[in-house]
Amino acid sequence: MTIEKTASGVFALEARSQLAPKERQILILSNGARSLADMVDIFGKDCVPLLKKLEQAGLLRGVSQTPPPAPVVAVPSNAAEGPKRAKNRSLAACKIYLIDLLQLQQNEEAIQVVHSLRQSDEPHSILELILVALNLILERSGERYVERVANRVFEIVPDEQLNMFIRLTQQLHIPILDLVARPYVGLLAEAPAPA
C-alpha cells in the first residue's frame, strides 16, 4: 500500500499553511508512489509518528493500512560483506533520486542544481553535479540525512562510473562523504584487473 496526499493535504501545501518543514517534505513525497518503508528509508524511523499524525489530521492516506517496515536484523557472517549495491544501477536513476530530494530544499541554489542535472548528459558532469547536490543537502539538512542520501547514491552509481565518483568524492575532503565512499574503495581494490 502506498501513501498519498488527500485533497486536504494538497490544499495545505498550496496554501502554505502552518506546516513544519519536515511535514512539508513528507507531504511533497507522499505522491502515491512510495510505501511506508520508502518513507522510512528517506526520513528515518522517527518519521512514522509524524506520518500517522498527518494521516489523523486528514492530510495523508495509506499510512495505517501499510504494515510497518520489518526491523533490520544483522545476520552474522564469517566472510566480510562488501557494500550494498542496487541491482539496477544507472546515472539516470541517480539524477532522478537527487532531483526529487533537491526539490524539497526550496531554495534558489537547489533549483539551479536541479536545472543543471536535467540538462547534463555527460557522466563526469553528472557526477560533479551529484556531489554539488550532496554538499547542498549536507549544508541544509545535516550529516545524518546526507549520509543516507550518499549511501543510496553509491548503491546506484553504475560500475563504469564508480571509480571516477570515488575519486571526485575524495577530492572534496568532506568527512561524511569520505566515510560513505570508503567501503567502495575496498570494493574496487578487490576487483580483478583487466587482462
Side-chain angles (χ1 to χ4, degrees):
M1 174 66 97
T2 57
I3 299 171
E4 61 184 343
K5 292 180 280 295
T6 61
S8 298
V10 172
F11 179 76
L13 277 176
E14 290 173 354
R16 297 202 175 268
S17 63
Q18 300 198 0
L19 294 169
K22 193 164 186 179
E23 292 173 332
R24 286 189 59 76
Q25 292 173 356
I26 286 173
L27 280 176
I28 290 167
L29 286 184
S30 298
N31 57 5
R34 292 178 176 87
S35 67
L36 181 58
D38 295 329
M39 298 300 269
V40 168
D41 281 347
I42 294 168
F43 295 105
K45 289 183 290 191
D46 57 335
C47 78
V48 175
L50 192 52
L51 284 161
K52 290 181 179 176
K53 175 187 163 196
L54 291 169
E55 183 178 52
Q56 288 169 351
L59 304 178
L60 289 179
R61 69 174 144 253
V63 178
S64 298
Q65 291 94 0
T66 308
V72 177
V73 179
V75 178
S77 169
N78 293 336
E81 292 183 21
K84 183 178 169 188
R85 296 288 279 150
K87 191 180 349 177
N88 299 317
R89 300 184 285 271
S90 74
L91 283 182
C94 292
K95 284 172 64 171
I96 291 167
Y97 176 62
L98 282 165
I99 286 170
D100 279 352
L101 295 178
L102 286 170
Q103 288 173 333
L104 297 173
Q105 298 291 321
Q106 300 179 355
N107 69 48
E108 190 60 38
E109 204 174 351
I111 291 167
Q112 289 173 353
V113 176
V114 165
H115 179 72
S116 298
L117 272 170
R118 285 188 174 137
Q119 301 300 317
S120 185
D121 58 0
E122 196 274 313
H124 191 271
S125 297
I126 293 170
L127 295 174
E128 286 179 330
L129 286 166
I130 287 170
L131 289 169
V132 169
L134 289 174
N135 193 39
L136 182 63
I137 291 168
L138 172 63
E139 290 172 3
R140 305 250 326 160
S141 303
E143 283 193 356
R144 186 170 170 222
Y145 185 64
V146 83
E147 182 179 6
R148 283 198 310 264
V149 173
N151 272 313
R152 181 64 184 145
V153 170
F154 269 97
E155 289 171 18
I156 57 180
V157 167
D159 293 341
E160 306 83 63
Q161 281 86 38
L162 183 59
N163 207 355
M164 183 190 316
F165 189 56
I166 291 169
R167 275 197 315 272
L168 290 170
T169 301
Q170 291 172 330
Q171 289 170 6
L172 286 178
H173 302 293
I174 298 174
I176 189 65
L177 296 182
D178 286 342
L179 182 69
V180 173
R182 193 171 300 141
Y184 294 90
V185 173
L187 179 72
L188 289 176
E190 293 165 15

